[in-house]
């Protein structure tokens, strides 16, 4: 039995805008085991990044969180900001999407990596330097000594993304959250970064939460997937099952919309609904679409849940 | 044999390199070098490559956004590479572009009606009333309606903004539309709806597309021909239909093998 790393139970996040409270995440429940990569897919506005932010404790100030997030049986919700600070990078760390904005352009990249060690450990300067060189080697950068002393503008996009990964990994966190780590990259570089992440996962027995809107990338990296829509998990399951045999009509729709060579000459399927904006949402009313006589059939085709709700009422 | 609508001959664009030392001899960097291709009417011509390969430079040169250093761009039998501003205006009625980012390509302070009417005013087409009619007609064509006239870009979603960008390209009834990463910033379901829309419009108006993208899945789905650009050189040009049969250049193979596939055949564990 694999060890349980992260357990999220009934997580609800609501955001306050102009004195009104809107639901942003509802009833998020999932688990991440050791040695497992869990993918999160969804359109923009589906709450993927918000889920990551709640696990990292970096939600904006106007939010309210209920439910439970347990990292190795340690409850994270309602921790003090000092406790969170200790947790980040020691226990959980984040790989950012945009390497250009995540890194400091005025600071040598080596310093940026070793800063993590300086803040979180008692290593001497010398040890910090050696650890940094080791991690640079591990993320596949050649000539780590000269990379240590270079600035971000001297590196290519792929190299920068490797630096961002190095910063996330340097302190051996138990859980890594990767927020769209390959979205800003070209396909060839993307393939390299995917290989690197897979390698690292194998070597370190870590657990990873992998957020992406790209089914191609998700299917390459993940063992288990969550599909999200408007702040709720629509469907979750092991990767192979989910792709070959999706259960929920929304998941089916997303998969059908992917263009490829075989679909040439035919029109692509497109989900006829858009993700509702935060201020259009009312609690307990998911998927937050106003149902009229005309769109009832369309909505029910994609979210059969609404029919159940009506019979309940 | 069909007459090509756009023919690019020996297209080259160079930039002056930064001088590193005082009195150093100026050197030049090639953004694109000796590009040759023909686009037939009614075709979707795809240009793919990594960032920095020069694919967008080609689009900008065709549109006259950047000046051509050397070579010819022949549009309907006329060289448009070195045009004056007045000449450009006449040409750009027939050549339109849709940019990547619908968030920055629309003026945030102006209504949709203004954005769509502006090209008509510049080209002095129609009267006030007929312009409005035309704007509504185009809005309906891209799947939006009259109710969008008074809206501002911030009220629209990404997909709707991209529809507006397409509408503003369409309003002058061009023959060729250059789509520079036009669907890259969109979610897959919205991307699918925009691709469908582009295909419908192509049928209806007999449009020709030059489609620039780094997303090879999209290009394989959408384009009839694919040109592969690498470091400013056109490496290969082939019919999409023949992609799975022909021999390809090393780089093309590498590029297409890197596409993550939504299946488990490509998954190595």
């Amino acid at each position: 039995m694999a060890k349980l790393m992260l357990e999220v139970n009934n997580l609800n996040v609501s955001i306050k805008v102009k004195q009104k409270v809107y639901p942003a995440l509802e009833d998020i429940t999932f688990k991440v085991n050791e040695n497992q990569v869990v993918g999160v897919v969804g359109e923009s506005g589906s709450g993927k990044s918000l889920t990551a932010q709640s696990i990292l404790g970096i939600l904006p100030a106007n939010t309210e969180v209920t439910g439970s997030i347990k990292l190795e049986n340690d409850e994270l919700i309602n921790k003090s900001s000092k406790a969170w600070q200790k947790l980040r990078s020691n226990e959980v760390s984040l790989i950012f999407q945009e390497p250009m904005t995540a890194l400091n352009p005025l600071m040598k990249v080596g310093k940026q990596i070793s800063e993590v060690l300086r803040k979180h450990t008692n290593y001497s300067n010398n040890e910090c330097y050696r650890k940094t060189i080791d991690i640079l080697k591990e993320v596949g950068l050649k000539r780590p000594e000269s990379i240590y002393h270079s600035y971000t503008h001297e590196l290519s996009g792929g190299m920068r993304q490797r630096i961002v990964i190095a910063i996330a990994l340097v302190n051996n966190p138990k859980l890594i959250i990767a927020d769209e780590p390959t979205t800003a990259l070209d396909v060839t570089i993307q393939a390299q970064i995917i290989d690197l992440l897979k390698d690292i996962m194998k070597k370190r027995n870590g657990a990873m939460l992998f957020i992406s809107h790209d089914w191609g990338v998700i299917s390459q990296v993940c063992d288990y997937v969550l599909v999200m829509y408007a702040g709720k998990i629509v469907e979750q399951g092991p990767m192979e099952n989910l792709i070959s045999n999706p259960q929920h009509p929304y998941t089916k729709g997303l998969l059908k919309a992917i263009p490829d060579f075989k679909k040439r000459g035919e029109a692509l399927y497109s989900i006829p609904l858009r993700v509702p904006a935060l201020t259009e949402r009312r609690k307990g009313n998911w998927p937050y679409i106003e149902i009229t006589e005309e769109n009832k059939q369309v909505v029910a085709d994609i979210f059969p849940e609404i029919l159940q709700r009506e019979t309940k009422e | 044999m069909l007459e090509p609508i756009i023919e690019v001959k020996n297209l080259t664009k160079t930039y002056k390199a930064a001088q590193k030392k005082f009195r150093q001899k100026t050197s030049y960097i090639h953004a694109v070098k000796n590009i040759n291709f023909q686009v037939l009417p009614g075709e979707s011509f795809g240009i793919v490559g990594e960032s920095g390969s020069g694919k967008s430079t080609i689009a900008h040169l065709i549109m006259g956004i950047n000046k051509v250093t050397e070579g010819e761009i022949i549009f309907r039998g006329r060289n448009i590479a070195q045009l004056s501003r007045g000449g450009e205006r006449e040409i750009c009625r027939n050549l339109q572009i849709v940019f990547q980012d619908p968030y920055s390509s629309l003026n945030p302070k102006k209504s949709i009606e203004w954005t769509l009417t502006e090209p008509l005013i510049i080209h002095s087409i129609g009267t006030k009333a007929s312009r409005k009619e035309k704007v509504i007609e185009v809005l309906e064509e891209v799947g939006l309606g009259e109710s969008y006239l008074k809206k501002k870009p911030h009220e629209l979603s990404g997909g709707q903004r991209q529809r507006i960008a397409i509408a503003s390209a369409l309003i002058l009834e061009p023959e060729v539309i250059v789509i520079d990463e036009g669907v890259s910033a969109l979610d897959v379901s919205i991307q699918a709806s925009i691709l469908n829309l582009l295909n419908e419009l192509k049928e209806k108006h007999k449009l020709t597309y030059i489609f620039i993208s780094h997303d090879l899945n999209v290009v394989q789905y959408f384009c009839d021909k694919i040109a592969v650009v690498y470091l400013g050189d056109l490496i290969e040009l082939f019919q999409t239909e023949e992609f799975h049969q022909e021999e390809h250049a090393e780089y093309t193979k590498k590029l297409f093998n890197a596409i993550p596939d939504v299946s488990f055949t490509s998954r190595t564990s």
Side-chain angles (χ1 to χ4, degrees):
Chain A
M1 189 56 200
K3 204 168 117 198
L4 188 65
M5 265 300 176
L6 176 78
E7 194 180 3
V8 177
N9 247 325
N10 285 325
L11 177 71
N12 284 285
V13 174
S14 37
I15 299 180
K16 214 171 173 184
V17 183
K18 290 183 186 157
Q19 308 302 321
K20 277 189 183 158
V21 180
Y22 301 101
L25 293 180
E26 268 193 82
D27 283 334
I28 304 289
T29 302
F30 66 94
K31 285 174 190 163
V32 184
N33 290 329
E34 195 180 54
N35 235 333
Q36 190 186 30
V37 185
V38 173
V40 186
V41 247
E43 298 176 74
S44 9
S46 62
K48 318 184 283 285
S49 292
L50 212 61
T51 311
Q53 285 174 12
S54 10
I55 298 167
L56 284 157
I58 49 174
L59 286 170
N62 55 351
T63 50
E64 254 171 57
V65 190
T66 59
S68 113
I69 302 173
K70 278 184 182 162
L71 188 73
E72 284 198 312
N73 279 327
D74 182 18
E75 180 60 58
L76 301 188
I77 286 188
N78 298 329
K79 266 199 192 306
S80 68
S81 61
K82 230 181 182 168
W84 267 116
Q85 199 121 107
K86 226 173 164 181
L87 213 75
R88 283 181 219 126
S89 112
N90 285 331
E91 313 266 323
V92 231
S93 69
L94 177 67
I95 299 173
F96 287 94
Q97 168 175 12
E98 270 286 339
M100 206 50 206
T101 40
L103 296 172
N104 186 344
L106 300 176
M107 202 170 166
K108 286 177 179 170
V109 294
K111 282 263 177 223
Q112 294 186 53
I113 300 171
S114 59
E115 188 187 30
V116 179
L117 295 171
R118 265 174 247 273
K119 280 256 158 53
H120 290 278
T121 63
N122 300 322
Y123 291 140
S124 69
N125 282 352
N126 210 342
E127 275 171 316
C128 284
Y129 177 76
R130 260 188 293 122
K131 289 259 174 203
T132 306
I133 297 292
D134 285 347
I135 196 81
L136 283 172
K137 271 188 210 151
E138 194 180 334
V139 295
L141 290 165
K142 286 168 195 128
R143 316 175 280 112
E145 287 84 6
S146 73
I147 299 265
Y148 186 99
H149 292 289
S150 49
Y151 290 94
T152 48
H153 70 266
E154 299 170 296
L155 306 175
S156 68
M159 284 159 104
R160 278 185 216 136
Q161 193 60 43
R162 283 169 199 268
I163 301 290
V164 173
I165 293 173
I167 292 175
L169 290 178
V170 70
N171 210 2
N172 291 316
K174 291 170 187 154
L175 177 74
I176 301 159
I177 299 175
D179 190 358
E180 309 250 6
T182 62
T183 308
L185 305 172
D186 284 319
V187 273
T188 45
I189 313 287
Q190 173 174 291
Q192 290 169 16
I193 297 289
I194 288 174
D195 285 343
L196 172 71
L197 287 174
K198 277 200 228 164
D199 262 9
I200 286 170
M201 287 300 294
K202 228 189 257 171
K203 246 189 265 165
R204 297 189 164 220
N205 291 334
M208 191 188 274
L209 193 68
F210 192 97
I211 297 170
S212 180
H213 67 268
D214 188 334
W215 278 98
V217 178
I218 288 275
S219 74
Q220 296 255 311
V221 187
C222 304
D223 311 307
Y224 192 91
V225 210
L226 321 171
V227 183
M228 289 184 75
Y229 179 85
K232 207 164 183 171
I233 296 176
V234 175
E235 185 174 3
Q236 54 178 304
M239 188 72 225
E240 277 86 352
N241 282 347
L242 201 112
I243 286 210
S244 53
N245 188 19
Q247 294 302 313
H248 198 284
Y250 178 73
T251 317
K252 286 181 196 165
L254 275 187
L255 286 166
K256 261 195 276 177
I258 304 168
D260 73 15
F261 185 73
K262 285 172 222 124
K263 294 179 187 153
R264 276 177 68 77
E266 43 185 286
L268 290 169
Y269 175 79
S270 164
I271 295 164
L273 301 172
R274 67 185 177 83
V275 182
L278 187 71
T279 47
E280 294 166 13
R281 302 181 186 178
R282 298 286 171 276
K283 202 162 172 55
N285 197 18
W286 190 88
Y288 316 116
I289 300 158
E290 216 177 298
I291 294 154
T292 57
E293 276 309 309
E294 294 130 46
N295 73 2
K296 194 173 170 187
Q297 197 49 46
V298 180
V299 180
D301 279 347
I302 299 168
F303 296 107
E305 289 92 336
I306 61 152
L307 297 176
Q308 287 165 18
R309 197 174 69 216
E310 269 178 15
T311 48
K312 243 185 249 169
E313 283 163 6
Chain B
M1 199 35 209
L2 270 169
E3 194 75 0
I5 187 160
I6 286 187
E7 192 175 358
V8 169
K9 284 186 188 164
N10 293 324
L11 187 69
T12 303
K13 172 78 190 173
T14 53
Y15 289 99
K16 238 185 233 170
Q19 268 179 317
K20 286 201 175 126
K21 284 182 202 145
F22 181 58
R23 285 172 69 184
Q24 190 187 34
K25 213 180 154 202
T26 35
S27 55
Y28 292 90
I29 294 170
H30 288 271
V32 290
K33 200 174 173 184
N34 287 332
I35 304 275
N36 289 293
F37 61 80
Q38 294 183 343
V39 183
L40 301 178
E43 201 171 48
S44 297
F45 187 88
I47 303 177
V48 293
E50 293 174 78
S51 24
S53 61
K55 53 188 193 310
S56 283
T57 308
I58 298 175
H60 292 175
L61 292 175
I62 292 173
M63 292 302 302
I65 297 169
N66 289 343
K67 280 264 169 284
V68 175
T69 314
E70 244 174 83
E72 290 174 19
I73 299 166
I74 294 163
F75 175 70
R76 289 233 168 273
R78 189 169 153 209
N79 185 6
I80 57 165
Q82 313 283 352
L83 278 183
S84 63
R85 277 192 74 93
E88 246 168 46
R89 182 163 299 176
E90 205 188 306
I91 290 295
C92 77
R93 263 195 81 166
N94 288 318
L95 268 173
Q96 285 290 317
I97 188 162
V98 176
F99 289 103
Q100 168 171 18
D101 187 0
Y103 290 83
S104 51
S105 63
L106 297 175
N107 188 337
K109 290 198 168 172
K110 301 288 188 186
S111 68
I112 301 306
E113 184 178 7
W114 183 91
T115 305
L116 294 180
T117 315
E118 188 69 1
L120 295 174
I121 295 173
I122 291 171
H123 290 273
S124 27
I125 298 166
T127 59
K128 207 172 171 192
S130 76
R131 277 177 201 148
K132 185 154 185 179
E133 231 167 73
K134 177 79 195 167
V135 168
I136 294 169
E137 189 193 317
V138 169
L139 270 176
E140 266 157 19
E141 259 185 289
V142 296
L144 305 170
E146 206 180 329
S147 57
Y148 285 84
L149 278 180
K150 292 282 170 255
K151 293 203 176 185
K152 300 243 169 95
H154 70 89
E155 295 171 75
L156 307 178
S157 68
Q160 287 170 337
R161 282 179 218 216
Q162 204 57 310
R163 281 169 196 266
I164 298 294
I166 293 168
S168 77
L170 208 62
I171 198 153
L172 291 169
E173 297 169 3
E175 292 169 79
V176 180
I177 299 184
V178 178
I179 302 161
D180 188 1
E181 301 274 11
V183 296
S184 307
L186 305 172
D187 279 315
V188 50
S189 166
I190 295 157
Q191 173 179 295
S193 70
I194 297 286
L195 288 173
N196 287 341
L197 173 70
L198 288 172
N199 268 332
E200 275 164 35
L201 293 172
K202 184 182 162 189
E203 286 284 300
K204 198 167 159 199
H205 296 280
K206 311 251 171 310
L207 292 169
T208 307
Y209 290 133
I210 297 180
F211 192 89
I212 291 160
S213 180
H214 68 271
D215 189 333
L216 299 161
N217 279 326
V218 174
V219 174
Q220 280 186 79
Y221 165 77
F222 190 76
C223 300
D224 305 311
K225 266 189 205 157
I226 299 177
V228 183
V229 187
Y230 178 63
L231 295 179
D233 281 319
L234 193 124
I235 293 208
E236 210 181 346
L237 179 65
F238 54 86
Q239 300 277 345
T240 316
E241 296 293 342
E242 292 159 10
F243 172 66
H244 290 282
Q245 305 150 15
E246 271 180 84
E247 283 290 297
H248 290 288
E250 257 333 287
Y251 178 72
T252 312
K253 276 189 217 155
K254 193 180 136 211
L255 197 64
F256 278 80
N257 283 337
I259 312 176
D261 194 0
V262 194
S263 64
F264 292 94
T265 45
S266 62
R267 195 177 152 125
T268 48
S269 54

